[in-house]
Each structure stands twice: as C-alpha cells, then as structure tokens.
C-alpha cells in the first residue's frame, strides 16, 4: 500500500496567530481532558480519505447560548474570540467519513497550549484528535500544526458591518468571505446556522491535495437565498479583498516538514471502495 506524504508549511507569521481574537491569554493551569473513543452512536469507521473540511466556529453565537458561559472560550478572562478553529476533518469518497480510526491517548499539555488560542477548549482539542486526527496521522502535534496553519491562513470580511446589515443573505456572506481569501470561491464553502438563522460555522472544502475545491452537494449548509443573522462580536482585523491574480496556495508548500498519513490508519482504496 503506498504512503501518502504531504509537505506543508505549518508555521505562519506570529502576528497571524491572533487575527481571530481581540485578546488571548493562557490560563496558569489547564483542566485535564477526558479520553474519548468510539461509541455505539459514533462508531469506529476506517475509510479512504476523499477530501477534507476545515470547520471554523463563530464564537459570539456559540457563547450566546452556551451552558457554561464562564468557560475559557466564553468567560472573557482569557480572551475575546471571533472565529475559532473547530477542526480539520477528513471526509470520505461518499457521504460517510472516517472517524475514531485508532485509540487516542490524551493530547500532550504542550500541544494543548500551542493550540488553545485557536481552539479555546481543552476537551474539544482532545475530541478533534480522537475523532479526526487519528485518521490522518500518528502524531497529534502534526495534526494540530496542519489544522492551525490552514486556520491561520484565513482572512475575514468586516464581520461588524455584516452583523449590522438588515437583509444579509447566506449567499452574500459567502461571497464576502470568499472575497477576503485568495483562491477561495463562494461555492467552496458552506455556511451553517442555528435556530433563528444565526451564523454558527463556516465549512471550507478542500480536495485530497488540500487545495480549496467546490463543496459536494451532500455537504449541506444553509440555502444561499435564506437570510442570515450574525451575533455581534469583537473587532477583527478586516482583510482587503484578495487579488485573484496573485498565485500560490494557502498555506504555501514547503518541503521538509512531513505529515505522514499512515497506511495502516488510513488505507488508500479506489473511489467507492470501503475497507
């Protein structure tokens, strides 16, 4: 079975790391996460990877209804967050996706600290590694470095101005989001909402080479013509519209730093074949 090796630039300029938050301060102590694994409702599923989804969450909406409003993400003591990284998800070649591909140890504390400003929940970090990361690599630091690199490469439209619009549609928001990012088109992302048409998440679709690609029809998301409401959040640096003529993927490729997709974890079969 061949080995799939992706060489990627994983670390961006330090200033980009906090572009999504007005502030982020690490707590002195971190809670210990609970180990997670497959269940009857969420079984182990080892399938070939057909594509990827980068999911980011709009924290102001999440925190407006969160049960624990004093959490690291919502309490305000350790940061005020806009878009945060939910995760990088391997998708299948059809409607099913791989998950919980092998047992997951607890994510090392130094890896948790490296990612807490991007994903301000210790348990969510553990969950993403157990459910998704174990299907991509054997080392959590490689999975999170890769996820964080794509997250930090994103730029955002003026969320404050969009939140104030009275007749914003999902399609208009998708167009504004895509315009801020090179090589991203509106049909390469999905917008998810919660009750009341409030913005919840943005899912960005990527192919096996981790280049932006058109989202599959079954991926779902809110219909383009439907109205969208945005919970106001902190001030986020506004990106100027991306110049479409500028070359280069995001993040850029760089040989030397390797993510090894272990064939024993993730078999590479032909499209439509399950292991």
């Amino acid at each position: 079975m061949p080995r799939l090796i992706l060489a990627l630039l994983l670390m961006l300029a330090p200033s980009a790391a906090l572009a999504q938050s007005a502030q982020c301060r690490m707590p002195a102590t971190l809670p210990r996460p609970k180990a997670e694994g497959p269940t009857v409702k969420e079984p182990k599923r080892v399938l070939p990877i057909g594509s990827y989804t980068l999911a980011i969450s709009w924290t102001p909406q999440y925190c407006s209804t969160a049960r624990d409003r004093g959490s690291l993400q919502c309490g305000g003591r350790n940061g005020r967050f806009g878009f945060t990284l939910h995760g990088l998800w391997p998708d299948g070649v059809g409607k099913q996706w791989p998950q919980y591909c092998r047992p997951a140890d607890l994510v090392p504390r130094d890896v948790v600290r490296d990612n807490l400003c991007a994903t301000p929940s210790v348990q969510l970090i553990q969950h993403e590694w157990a459910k998704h990361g174990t299907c991509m690599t054997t080392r959590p630091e490689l999975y999170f470095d890769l996820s964080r690199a794509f997250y930090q490469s994103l730029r955002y439209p003026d969320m404050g101005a969009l939140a104030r619009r009275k007749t914003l549609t999902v399609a208009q928001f998708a167009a504004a989001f895509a315009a801020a990012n090179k090589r991203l088109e509106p049909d390469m992302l999905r917008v998810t909402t919660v009750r009341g048409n409030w913005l919840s998440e943005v899912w960005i679709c990527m192919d096996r080479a981790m280049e932006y690609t058109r989202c599959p029809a079954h991926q779902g998301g809110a219909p383009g013509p439907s109205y969208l409401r945005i919970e106001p959040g902190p001030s986020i640096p506004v990106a100027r519209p991306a110049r479409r003529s500028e070359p280069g993927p995001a993040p850029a490729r760089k040989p030397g730093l390797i993510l090894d997709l272990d064939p024993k974890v993730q078999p590479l079969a032909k499209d439509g074949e399950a292991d």
Side-chain angles (χ1 to χ4, degrees), residues 22-47:
Q23 57 172 303
C24 181
R25 297 188 302 275
M26 288 295 95
T29 58
L30 297 178
R32 182 180 176 85
K34 297 179 181 178
E36 293 192 26
T39 64
V40 174
K41 292 184 178 180
E42 290 279 347
K44 175 180 179 179
R45 205 159 49 216
V46 181
L47 299 172

Side-chain angles (χ1 to χ4, degrees), residues 60-83:
Q61 175 56 42
Y62 169 76
C63 291
S64 70
T65 58
R67 291 182 179 180
D68 184 6
R69 300 195 184 187
S71 66
L72 187 151
Q73 183 171 0
C74 301
R77 297 183 302 276
N78 298 104
R80 297 180 61 243
F81 301 95
F83 279 107

Side-chain angles (χ1 to χ4, degrees), residues 141-213:
E141 63 270 24
L142 290 183
Y143 170 69
F144 287 110
D145 282 351
L146 180 64
S147 305
R148 196 175 67 252
F150 280 107
Y151 166 71
Q152 290 177 358
S153 74
L154 294 174
R155 297 297 177 263
Y156 302 97
D158 188 336
M159 294 298 293
L162 291 173
R164 291 190 293 271
R165 289 181 59 172
K166 301 296 185 182
T167 58
L168 179 69
T169 67
V170 169
Q172 290 169 339
F173 173 80
F177 194 101
N181 292 275
K182 289 184 294 184
R183 304 175 68 89
L184 187 64
E185 300 293 339
D187 63 358
M188 297 175 175
L189 61 90
R190 290 286 186 262
V191 178
T192 71
T193 58
V194 294
R195 179 179 295 182
N197 295 336
W198 292 97
L199 171 66
S200 176
E201 294 198 327
V202 175
W203 296 352
I204 299 168
C205 301
M206 297 187 289
D207 61 20
R208 277 179 62 97
M210 293 187 167
E211 301 285 356
Y212 298 143
T213 191

